Amino acid sequence: MEFTRALKHLVTPDFVALKPFPAAALDRIEQAINRSEQSHSGEIRFALEAGMEPYEVLRGATPHDRAMELFSALRIWDTEENSGVLIYLQLVEHRIEIVADRGISRHVAQSQWDEICLRMESAFRAGRFEAGVLTAIEEITALLSRHFPPGEHNPDELPDRPVIIL
């Protein structure tokens, strides 16, 4: 099984996997994140990765493992209120992971993140990639606004620009 997964990651060119997210779509996602963060004190990062390193797949790494690694590498955990959220899309295996910092996890159940992922998957199956992400950002905004309203001082602690991992 791991060999088949690794082979798929090895032979799928990045440009093919990333095709559903052209530059204009990434611009609109960035704008949506920027608007979102004005209504709460959380921080949202959106990361796209075409495929994982085949040797990582062979050793058993999963998209969830990779999302956790990126949560740390992108320093999403490093916000004043522990209110960072990562939306991670691993495009070769069509996997979506949402990772929330510990401050958010006290208020938002994993089942709520899983439901957002399921709705994104449904939109993606219908070919509505950008719309699926934008709807997910709206849903995350509603959750964060409820539990992390903006204070008088609401700094933008993390970049809003989507991250493409090549």
Side-chain angles (χ1 to χ4, degrees):
M1 177 64 176
E2 300 303 337
F3 178 77
T4 304
R5 282 183 61 224
L7 186 60
K8 189 173 182 182
H9 284 265
L10 180 65
V11 301
T12 304
D14 290 346
F15 75 91
V16 170
L18 295 169
K19 189 175 180 180
F21 292 96
L26 296 175
D27 290 342
R28 288 186 288 273
I29 291 168
E30 178 181 11
Q31 293 163 6
I33 291 170
N34 183 275
R35 282 190 307 274
S36 168
E37 291 178 353
Q38 294 173 24
S39 66
H40 55 77
S41 61
E43 293 290 324
I44 300 172
R45 292 296 320 256
F46 177 71
L48 288 169
E49 186 165 40
M52 296 167 46
E53 292 294 332
Y55 66 85
E56 292 292 329
V57 175
L58 284 172
R59 73 170 185 77
T62 65
H64 178 76
D65 296 333
R66 183 65 173 143
M68 296 300 288
E69 181 183 327
L70 288 172
F71 187 85
S72 176
L74 297 173
R75 301 183 61 92
I76 298 167
W77 54 267
D78 194 19
T79 61
E80 188 173 331
E81 295 184 39
N82 297 315
S83 58
V85 176
L86 171 65
I87 305 169
Y88 170 71
L89 302 185
Q90 196 282 308
L91 296 167
V92 168
E93 291 184 56
H94 308 286
R95 292 287 305 273
I96 303 165
E97 298 285 338
I98 297 177
V99 180
D101 205 346
R102 63 190 173 275
I104 295 172
S105 295
R106 291 185 196 118
H107 302 283
V108 180
Q110 182 61 46
S111 61
Q112 291 177 282
W113 301 123
D114 295 342
E115 290 170 9
I116 294 171
C117 289
L118 288 172
R119 286 188 287 276
M120 286 177 71
E121 289 171 4
S122 177
F124 291 0
R125 279 192 300 276
R128 298 178 11 258
F129 295 94
E130 180 183 343
V133 172
L134 294 176
T135 299
I137 291 169
E138 289 174 10
E139 293 178 20
I140 292 168
T141 300
L143 290 170
L144 294 177
S145 296
R146 184 176 321 128
H147 299 291
F148 292 88
E152 193 172 302
H153 178 67
N154 187 16
D156 191 5
E157 298 178 82
L158 298 173
D160 299 335
R161 184 73 185 159
V163 178
I164 298 176
I165 315 293
L166 296 175

